[in-house]
Amino acid sequence: MTGGWGVAAGVVGSILGAVALLGAGLFASRATRVAARTTAEAQRAAAATAAEPAQRQADLTAFREIRDEMKDKIERQNRRIDGLSGLVLAYSWTVDRLIHRMRDSGVTPESDDIHARVREHMRTGS
């Protein structure tokens, strides 16, 4: 009886050992997957944190480029406006001299010779 029970006990022990080994393997596998997922999330968080100063620097650089472009554009527009203002003053001076010459010669302008906006400006000063 000892021989049969010994073999049966050995087989049962082997089966229990295999089941225990399989259970331990499944537990280790599950724990490894959870640990890998946790590690990956931690690495992503660390990468995002490390990238933040670089992103801020890139944003600052882009902002400065946009600011400098806008500053140049505004300066060009201001120079253009100054040039056009000077041109309008030169035309005004020229027209004023021509009107005085016409009046000195006895020629008066017709009412439709003067643009409505010019008449408004002459009347109100603005």
Side-chain angles (χ1 to χ4, degrees):
M1 199 140 152
T2 318
W5 283 107
V7 171
V11 170
V12 169
S14 294
I15 292 173
L16 287 175
V19 169
L21 187 59
L22 180 63
L26 291 174
F27 178 79
S29 171
R30 183 172 178 263
T32 302
R33 281 193 310 259
V34 170
R37 191 172 29 245
T38 303
T39 302
E41 289 173 9
Q43 287 174 344
R44 277 193 293 274
T49 302
E52 188 172 325
Q55 183 61 47
R56 285 181 180 231
Q57 184 61 38
D59 291 346
L60 181 60
T61 300
F63 171 77
R64 286 181 175 156
E65 288 174 7
I66 292 169
R67 180 200 60 197
D68 292 344
E69 287 174 14
M70 293 302 296
K71 198 173 176 181
D72 291 343
K73 185 176 181 178
I74 290 169
E75 287 174 1
R76 284 191 313 270
Q77 288 177 343
N78 284 343
R79 284 192 301 270
R80 184 171 183 245
I81 289 169
D82 290 345
L84 290 172
S85 295
L87 183 61
V88 168
L89 289 173
Y91 268 102
S92 176
W93 180 83
T94 301
V95 169
D96 186 56
R97 286 194 58 163
L98 292 173
I99 288 174
H100 283 300
R101 284 191 184 181
M102 288 172 58
R103 285 191 179 142
D104 290 346
S105 299
V107 178
T108 58
E110 299 292 325
S111 62
D112 61 344
D113 287 341
I114 301 173
H115 192 278
R117 284 189 68 191
V118 173
R119 268 187 270 139
E120 179 69 17
H121 176 75
M122 291 169 73
R123 188 174 62 75
T124 64
S126 58

